[in-house]
């Protein structure tokens, strides 16, 4: 990240002799987790989880973090970012120490992401036997006090509640050695800035800090400069890149045809055994679509962020266990839901920002699988469609007889009318 003052660039030629270059070398040769010098138990956890080769961000980040460097990594959901901070965490903490004061703190913007991280800790860290606790807004404070009294090695928390618990319990945090800000742009967007600064002020200077974010707005650069020590910036060209195996279809519709078009896609185009996520603009759209699909016996479930936590958990599990093949979500709710088997994404409402489009559709066609992203484009959404193509550097192709990727077309009127009547 050569061009942000205050950050070291891992690829800078003048750094050839320092630890950055030395440490990344073995991974260039071997390219695998085996060449990262990981301990046996950590490697066993990675193998058990089924990871064979590190993702690009893992290849860059893990060796630096193990070396003890502070890292700012620009990575989106689906890049394998969780393992980027958990593998070095397991290496640093090594064994469970059952005394007061956690040694690692992971701050997440949402409870879903925090619970997802906890799941990764249990799976990837299966053989490290470290104890983790979650401190999340909405859960019982008493349970959280006793979780802290259980002397966890790792705390995964949302910032507001964590700070509250720190104040109530007069926690000093001076035993924290390793801190992660996950989806840091979202942490700030959700208004946790003040709490984050409060938490940072309580942390010891000697800690190692990692910050993961899809975007790096100025406010975050300032936060990283103040809170991290000589951080290395790791940036892959992720923002404007789509998975290579992903096909994009854009479907021009009139406003009143939107639901009928969705039904045509779900009934005529997509195999009912496939897993599909439908992105809708608001929780009201989500509820409306859920009712409509239920009426038509299309197996579906839904999540939006103001849904109560246990219902969200149940619905997410329904989808990930394949009991429902369609999951209807809002963007905020979709954060942190881990769906490795996703086949299709449907943008019921077109995202207003190109980056959001990349975020949404990047959830399918992961790890070598293929996938299709269908987007319904109403008359008032063409501007966003054009903006997206400028952002992606792709030409906009209006459909002709040969069906290609990245095209814009219409659904046959007879099919739409059939669904419209339903
Ligand atoms: P994340 O970006 O951390 O949310 O990870 C996205 C998905 O990729 C999760 O389902 C991970 O389990 C999976 N994943 C992460 N690293 C690897 C890897 N090296 N090989 C295969 N799958 C991975």
């Amino acid at each position: 990240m050569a061009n942000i003052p205050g950050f070291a660039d891992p690829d800078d030629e003048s750094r050839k002799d320092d630890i950055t270059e030395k440490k990344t070398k073995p991974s260039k040769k071997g390219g695998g987790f085996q060449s990262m010098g990981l301990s046996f138990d950590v490697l066993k956890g990675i193998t058990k989880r089924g990871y064979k080769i590190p993702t690009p961000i893992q290849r860059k980040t893990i060796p630096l973090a193990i070396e003890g460097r502070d890292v700012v990594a620009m990575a989106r959901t689906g890049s394998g970012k969780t393992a980027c901070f958990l593998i070095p965490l397991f290496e640093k903490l090594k064994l469970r120490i059952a005394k007061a004061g956690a040694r690692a703190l992971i701050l997440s913007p949402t409870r879903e992401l925090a619970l997802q991280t906890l799941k990764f800790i249990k799976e990837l860290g299966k053989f490290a036997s470290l104890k983790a606790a979650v401190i999340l807004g909405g859960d019982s404070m008493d349970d959280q006090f006793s979780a802290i009294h259980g002397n966890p090695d790792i705390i995964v928390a949302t910032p507001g509640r964590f700070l509250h618990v720190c104040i109530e319990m007069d926690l000093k945090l001076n035993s924290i050695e390793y801190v992660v800000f996950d989806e840091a742009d979202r942490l700030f967007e959700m208004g946790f800035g003040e709490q984050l600064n409060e938490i940072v002020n309580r942390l010891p200077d000697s800690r190692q800090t990692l910050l993961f974010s899809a975007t790096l707005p100025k406010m975050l650069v300032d936060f990283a400069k103040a809170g991290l020590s000589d951080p290395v910036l790791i940036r892959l060209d992720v923002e404007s890149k789509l998975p290579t195996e992903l096909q994009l279809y854009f479907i021009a519709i009139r406003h009143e045809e939107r639901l009928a078009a969705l039904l045509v896609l779900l009934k005529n185009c997509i195999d009912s055994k496939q897993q599909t996520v439908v992105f809708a603009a608001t929780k009201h759209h989500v509820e409306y679509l859920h009712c409509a699909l239920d009426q038509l016996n299309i197996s579906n479930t839904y999540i939006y962020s103001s849904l109560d936590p246990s219902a969200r958990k149940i619905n997410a599990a329904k989808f990930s266990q394949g009991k429902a093949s369609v999951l209807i979500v809002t963007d905020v709710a979709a954060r942190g839901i881990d769906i490795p088997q996703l086949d299709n994404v449907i943008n019921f409402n077109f995202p207003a920002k190109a980056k959001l489009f990349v975020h949404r559709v990047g959830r399918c066609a992961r790890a070598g699988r293929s996938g299709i992203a269908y987007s319904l484009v109403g008359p008032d959404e063409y501007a966003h469609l054009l903006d997206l193509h400028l952002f992606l550097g792709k030409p906009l192709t209006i459909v002709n007889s040969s069906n290609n990727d990245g095209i814009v077309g219409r659904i046959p009127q007879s099919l739409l009318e059939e669904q419209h009547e339903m």
Side-chain angles (χ1 to χ4, degrees):
M1 126 109 57
N3 50 4
I4 298 186
F7 290 90
D9 173 11
D11 297 327
D12 184 347
E13 284 294 305
S14 65
R15 298 178 65 91
K16 274 255 137 88
D17 293 331
D18 81 5
I19 52 170
T20 307
E21 193 58 27
K22 275 186 215 139
K23 266 287 155 186
T24 46
K25 247 184 191 155
S27 68
K28 273 184 193 156
K29 252 192 268 154
F33 288 111
Q34 288 79 359
S35 55
M36 288 180 176
L38 304 174
S39 49
F40 182 68
D41 280 346
V42 175
L43 213 50
K44 214 158 76 173
I46 294 171
T47 314
K48 186 91 202 282
R49 184 70 176 75
Y51 299 174
K52 294 193 176 64
I53 41 170
T55 65
I57 194 84
Q58 288 168 356
R59 208 166 299 141
K60 282 204 166 190
T61 311
I62 294 171
L64 285 166
I66 288 180
E67 193 65 33
R69 294 294 302 261
D70 279 5
V71 172
V72 171
M74 288 184 76
R76 62 180 164 85
T77 305
S79 60
K81 67 180 170 64
T82 317
C84 286
F85 58 78
L86 287 185
I87 291 171
L89 181 155
F90 299 144
E91 286 296 336
K92 186 156 182 140
L93 265 49
K94 291 196 167 67
L95 293 171
R96 159 131 187 84
I97 299 181
K99 63 174 187 156
R103 289 174 293 150
L105 172 65
I106 302 169
L107 293 166
S108 302
T110 61
R111 53 182 298 128
E112 277 79 16
L113 186 65
L115 291 170
Q116 189 61 49
T117 304
L118 181 71
K119 190 168 150 237
F120 271 82
I121 293 173
K122 288 189 180 146
E123 290 172 0
L124 263 184
K126 194 172 163 63
F127 306 100
S129 59
L130 294 161
K131 184 167 178 178
V134 282
I135 306 289
L136 305 175
D139 288 350
S140 131
M141 292 279 277
D142 283 342
D143 289 352
Q144 294 177 345
F145 295 152
S146 48
I148 301 273
H149 285 307
N151 297 330
D153 302 284
I154 309 164
I155 295 175
V156 187
T158 47
R161 176 58 66 90
F162 181 64
L163 187 62
H164 193 169
V165 168
C166 284
I167 293 167
E168 290 292 318
M169 296 183 79
D170 197 19
L171 288 182
K172 292 285 177 277
L173 303 188
N174 48 13
S175 54
I176 301 278
E177 299 168 24
Y178 189 92
V179 180
V180 179
F181 298 98
D182 194 9
E183 299 199 352
D185 46 357
R186 294 284 304 162
L187 282 169
F188 277 88
E189 278 166 31
M190 295 183 73
F192 286 129
E194 210 173 298
Q195 285 99 331
L196 291 175
N197 283 313
E198 277 278 325
I199 293 169
V200 167
N201 287 339
R202 290 165 177 255
L203 295 169
D205 290 340
S206 58
R207 71 181 187 272
Q208 183 182 3
T209 312
L210 283 81
L211 184 149
F212 289 79
S213 186
T215 60
L216 213 50
K218 178 162 184 321
M219 186 202 273
L220 209 52
V221 171
D222 294 344
F223 175 76
K225 275 197 224 160
L228 278 70
S229 135
D230 188 22
V232 183
L233 178 74
I234 294 175
R235 178 155 68 174
L236 304 173
D237 280 337
V238 289
E239 273 307 314
S240 58
K241 283 241 170 94
L242 293 170
T244 46
E245 298 302 315
L246 179 73
Q247 283 182 289
L248 303 180
Y249 294 143
F250 301 96
I251 299 141
I253 46 148
R254 284 200 296 268
H255 182 64
E256 66 278 11
E257 295 168 347
R258 204 176 281 275
L259 179 59
L262 175 69
L263 296 177
V264 171
L265 291 177
L266 290 175
K267 291 164 96 175
N268 300 55
C269 305
I270 293 172
D271 184 336
S272 61
K273 288 194 269 316
Q274 291 191 343
Q275 297 281 96
T276 301
V277 168
V278 178
F279 283 91
T282 67
K283 75 169 193 178
H284 307 293
H285 290 83
V286 171
E287 279 176 337
Y288 166 65
L289 292 180
H290 165 62
C291 291
L293 297 195
D294 264 2
Q295 292 268 324
L296 295 165
N297 294 323
I298 298 175
S299 106
N300 75 95
T301 185
Y302 63 100
I303 302 181
Y304 48 77
S305 41
S306 58
L307 197 67
D308 90 81
S310 57
R312 272 196 272 176
K313 210 166 145 188
I314 292 168
N315 290 0
K318 242 193 215 169
F319 185 70
S320 61
Q321 291 162 10
K323 289 180 189 144
S325 52
V326 178
L327 173 68
I328 313 161
V329 291
T330 55
D331 287 298
V332 174
R335 285 261 171 178
I337 306 173
D338 180 47
I339 319 152
Q341 298 301 319
L342 194 57
D343 304 294
N344 307 289
V345 166
I346 300 178
N347 290 312
F348 182 76
N349 300 103
F350 205 82
K353 285 192 181 150
K355 277 181 192 163
L356 193 53
F357 181 93
V358 175
H359 244 282
R360 286 182 179 183
V361 306
R363 293 165 168 274
C364 66
R366 280 182 192 173
R369 289 171 62 96
S370 59
I372 303 180
Y374 301 91
S375 305
L376 304 182
V377 194
D380 51 348
E381 292 168 329
Y382 284 113
H384 299 319
L385 178 67
L386 246 146
D387 182 48
L388 172 73
H389 282 74
L390 289 173
F391 179 79
L392 295 174
K394 273 184 147 206
L396 193 61
T397 319
I398 308 295
V399 71
N400 53 31
S401 53
S402 62
N403 268 13
N404 275 317
D405 176 37
I407 51 163
V408 185
R410 292 188 59 85
I411 293 174
Q413 198 59 31
S414 58
L415 282 178
L416 281 174
E417 275 165 18
E418 196 181 304
Q419 297 307 327
H420 199 68
E421 272 171 30
M422 297 269 281

